[in-house]
Amino acid sequence: MRPIASAALLSALFATAASATPQCEGTVYADRNGNGRRDAGDAGLAGQRVSDGEIIVVTDALGRYRLTPREGSSQFLIKPAGYRLPARGNGLPDYWLNVRENEGPALKYGGMPRSEATCRDYGLIPQRAQGGEDLDVLVFADPQTKSAVDVGYYERAIVEPLAREGAAARLGLSLGDITHDDLSLYPRLNAATARLGVPWLHAPGNHDLDFDAARDEDSLLSFRHVYGPDTYAWEEPQANFVVFDDVVYRPGPKPDYIGGLREDQFVFLERYLADAPKQRLLVLAMHIPLFDAAPGRESFRRADRERLFALLRPFPHVLVLSGHSHAQRHVFHAAASGWQGAAPLHEYNVGAACGAFWSGVRDAQGLPDSTMSDGTPNGYARLRIGADARYALSWHPAPSAGRALDADSVANAHLRLYAPKTLRRGSYPIRGVYANAFMGREDSRVELRIDGGEWTPMRRVEQPDPALLAENARDDGAERLRGYDRAAIAMPSAHLWNAALPTDLAAGEHAIEVRVFDAWQGEQRLSTRYRLIEAAP
C-alpha cells in the first residue's frame, strides 16, 4: 500500500474512533462576585487546565474545554495561581466532578454513586495580587478518628485552638488517614475542619480505603465520593502542590497495602510536570513516606520511587510531606535511596494530629495526652513559603499534649528535657540530661551548659524518650486503666540528644540549660535543675 493511502486510512480510523466516543464540554470562567454560579458578564478564562487524572486539556479563548468522559474517573480543575475557588456545602473547595454512568461495586460506605453529568463548568474567583506575601499552610497528618468521641478530641485539641487564635493560613493539607476505617465519620470531620475557613486538600491514607473492594482501583471510591480525585494539582503564586494517593491496596495478602503509585498517576505526573515552572517550589503531599520504614523492608515500592525521583530530578526546589508513621523525622534523600538530584531531596515525615491514636491519660478538660512513640506531642505542622522557593517548617503541639509526661520532665513547644532530680556528689558522671527536639534533624546543633557556663555539644542518640518510658512504667504499675488506651510504647527517637551531668560541682542545686538551633525557627532554649547531695557509704 502506498504511504499516502496508509495515512488517509489512519486518518479515517481516528475520525471514526473519535465519533464513537462522544466528548463532553464545559467552561472555566471568572466568578467575579464569588457566588458559585456563572452570571451574565462572567467571562470565560483561556488557558485553564482540566484533567480526568490522566489527560490534561486546556480551555480555548472563550474558556471552553472538551474532554472524553472516562468511566469511574474524577475530573478536576487544576486551580491556577491568582484565583480561589467557591466552597461546597461541606466547606471543601469546589473543583471536581466524579464521572460514574454505570453502577459501581456495592460497598459498605457507599462507594461512588452514579453522576448526572460528565463535564461541568468551573468558577474561579480572582484574588488580589499577593505581592511579596508568604503562603502559610496548615498541615495535618493522621487525624485518624475511630469514633465520634475521637472526632470530638480532634475538634477540641486541634481545631478549636486554631479557630480561637485565627488560623491565619490560606491553605490546609491533610496527609491521609483522615479517619480510622470508619468512613461514615467524614461529614463530622469535615464540619470540624471547616470551622477554620481555609481551603482544605486531602490525600487518602491506608485507613481511608474501602476494605470490601475487590481491587485497588475501587478501594477509594467512598473517599472520592466525599473528597474528589485522589491525585491532583493545585497552584499558588509561591508554590505548586501535587497531592496524591500512594497507597496500593492488595486484598488478600498481609500487609494488605504497600506504598507506591499506579500507572495512571505516573501519566498525569509526567504531563503536569512537563510544563511546571522549575523556579517555583514543588510540594508533594502523600500519606506513606518515600523512605523505607526499616532497613531491608520495602514499605514503598522501590521501582515506583525511582520512577518518581526521575520525574522530579529536573526540579531544584522540591519538598515532600508525608504522614503514616505517627512519629516525626526529616529525611534527606540522596544516592543511597535512588535520588540523583543536584542537592538532597527533603522529606518531612509529619507527626500525627491524633498522636498515638488519641491514647493516654486525659487532662482536666478530658483530652488524652497522646504523645507519639518518639516522644513528640501530638499536634500539627505549619509550612510557610516565601519568595525564591524558600520555606520554613514548624511543629505546634496540641494544648493538651505531653502533660502526662511533664511529671518527669519540662517542655515547651520546641523541646522536652528529662533529667534526674538528684545525684550523689562525686558519683560517676554517667547519668545525664536528655533533650527531645521535636523538629530536630541529624545535622541539628544541640548544646548544654550548667550554671551559665560554657556551651558544650550534646550527643545525638537513637534511644526511646525517657519521659515516655516513665509513662509506660506508670501504666504498667497501675492497678486500673489510667486512660481508655495506654500511652504509646516508647520507641527509638530520631531527634533525641544526651549529655552527662557533672557531679564534681558543689553540693546543692544547679541550673541546666539546653539550646537547639532550629533550621527554620532559630535558637530555642529550655531550662531545668538538678541537685547534688553529699552522701556517705
Side-chain angles (χ1 to χ4, degrees):
M1 183 179 290
R2 291 177 299 169
I4 185 74
S6 177
L9 178 60
L10 287 173
S11 177
L13 288 172
F14 285 140
T16 303
S19 63
T21 308
Q23 292 184 313
C24 62
E25 295 184 359
T27 301
V28 180
Y29 64 92
D31 184 0
R32 295 182 303 167
N33 59 10
N35 65 358
R37 63 177 182 269
R38 191 176 188 185
D39 300 319
D42 284 348
L45 295 171
Q48 303 305 314
R49 292 158 295 169
V50 178
S51 177
D52 66 353
E54 288 189 24
I55 303 299
I56 299 175
V57 297
V58 182
T59 59
D60 64 15
L62 298 177
R64 299 171 304 191
Y65 72 91
R66 301 184 72 185
L67 194 64
T68 302
R70 185 162 58 88
E71 176 68 5
S73 66
S74 293
Q75 179 195 119
F76 59 91
L77 171 71
I78 298 176
K79 190 202 80 69
Y83 293 89
R84 62 184 178 89
L85 289 164
R88 295 183 169 221
N90 59 5
L92 297 175
D94 187 20
Y95 67 97
W96 55 270
L97 170 72
N98 288 328
V99 178
R100 171 69 81 187
E101 296 187 88
N102 304 309
E103 291 291 344
L107 299 171
K108 176 180 178 180
Y109 292 107
M112 182 188 292
R114 295 177 66 179
S115 57
E116 296 180 0
T118 53
C119 278
R120 54 160 288 188
D121 292 346
Y122 295 97
L124 285 169
I125 304 169
Q127 284 183 307
R128 64 177 178 84
Q130 296 175 4
E133 295 179 21
D134 290 350
L135 176 69
D136 195 1
V137 185
L138 293 168
V139 185
F140 293 178
D142 302 79
Q144 203 151 345
T145 55
K146 303 179 294 296
S147 64
V149 172
D150 286 355
V151 176
Y153 293 152
Y154 167 73
E155 184 163 21
R156 291 195 294 137
I158 303 296
V159 174
E160 281 185 2
L162 275 166
R164 282 196 301 269
E165 69 186 41
R170 292 209 302 274
L171 186 64
L173 288 172
S174 284
L175 304 178
D177 283 0
I178 315 303
T179 188
H180 186 94
D181 300 342
D182 186 353
L183 311 189
S184 69
L185 296 173
Y186 283 154
R188 297 187 188 191
L189 281 156
N190 293 337
T193 308
R195 293 180 55 189
L196 298 176
V198 176
W200 212 275
L201 309 181
H202 295 78
N206 56 290
H207 287 285
D208 294 309
L209 301 178
D210 287 298
F211 284 104
D212 50 345
R215 57 182 191 153
D216 179 56
E217 291 86 341
D218 297 328
S219 65
L220 285 172
L221 292 179
S222 297
F223 173 92
R224 288 165 56 203
H225 173 53
V226 176
Y227 297 110
D230 61 49
T231 300
Y232 53 99
W234 177 288
E235 298 183 351
E236 297 289 347
Q238 301 85 350
N240 291 346
F241 295 82
V242 179
V243 182
F244 56 83
D245 163 37
D246 69 341
V247 182
V248 180
Y249 178 48
R250 306 184 299 185
K254 294 296 181 181
D256 52 8
Y257 67 90
I258 190 171
L261 298 176
R262 306 183 305 269
E263 183 61 29
D264 63 295
Q265 294 175 291
F266 278 116
V267 171
F268 171 74
L269 285 168
E270 288 170 3
R271 290 171 172 163
Y272 174 72
L273 294 177
D275 297 321
K278 295 180 175 58
Q279 74 276 10
R280 191 181 295 179
L281 180 67
L282 177 63
V283 180
L284 305 185
M286 66 196 77
H287 182 62
I288 296 180
L290 296 178
F291 58 85
D292 289 334
R297 174 187 163 195
E298 187 183 47
S299 51
F300 193 100
R301 293 191 302 212
R302 293 187 181 92
D304 290 356
R305 183 173 65 199
E306 290 173 4
R307 190 173 173 185
L308 176 62
F309 282 176
L311 290 174
L312 298 176
R313 182 177 179 180
F315 291 83
H317 310 293
V318 183
L319 171 65
V320 176
L321 301 174
S322 60
H324 187 57
S325 63
H326 295 257
Q328 186 153 264
R329 64 186 295 190
H330 297 272
V331 172
F332 291 86
H333 294 279
S337 58
W339 174 248
Q340 300 297 327
L345 172 65
H346 180 199
E347 177 174 357
Y348 172 33
N349 188 217
V350 184
C354 75
F357 309 92
W358 303 112
S359 66
V361 174
R362 296 185 181 96
D363 65 8
Q365 286 72 47
L367 294 171
D369 176 89
S370 214
T371 297
M372 288 174 257
S373 60
D374 65 348
T376 304
N378 74 302
Y380 62 93
R382 293 191 91 127
L383 166 64
R384 183 175 291 274
I385 305 171
D388 303 321
R390 291 180 295 102
Y391 62 88
L393 292 162
S394 56
W395 181 248
H396 300 261
S400 58
R403 290 184 181 176
L405 276 61
D406 288 348
D408 295 291
S409 59
V410 294
N412 60 22
H414 305 278
L415 67 160
R416 174 178 288 112
L417 302 184
Y418 181 96
K421 291 182 171 57
T422 59
L423 292 172
R424 178 176 63 82
R425 183 173 180 270
S427 61
Y428 189 79
I430 193 172
R431 291 177 174 82
V433 59
Y434 286 86
N436 193 331
F438 308 136
M439 288 291 282
R441 316 183 322 188
E442 287 190 9
D443 61 353
S444 291
R445 178 180 160 198
V446 183
E447 297 177 335
L448 165 81
R449 70 176 178 182
I450 304 297
D451 295 335
E454 294 294 320
W455 290 103
T456 58
M458 298 182 71
R459 179 174 60 96
R460 182 175 170 270
V461 294
E462 292 195 8
Q463 298 175 14
D465 181 285
L468 185 55
L469 282 173
E471 182 69 0
N472 292 160
R474 285 190 286 270
D475 278 344
D476 288 343
E479 295 289 341
R480 300 176 181 174
L481 288 175
R482 302 172 64 234
Y484 178 73
D485 280 324
R486 292 162 55 113
I489 296 175
M491 303 293 287
S493 174
H495 39 77
L496 189 69
W497 281 259
N498 172 252
L501 289 172
T503 61
D504 57 352
L505 305 176
E509 196 169 68
H510 296 276
I512 303 169
E513 192 174 9
V514 171
R515 67 180 180 183
V516 56
F517 292 87
D518 186 286
W520 302 284
Q521 306 303 314
E523 182 180 339
Q524 307 296 332
R525 296 190 185 190
L526 189 60
S527 301
T528 188
R529 309 186 76 82
Y530 75 112
R531 180 179 294 275
L532 290 174
I533 296 176
E534 298 280 10

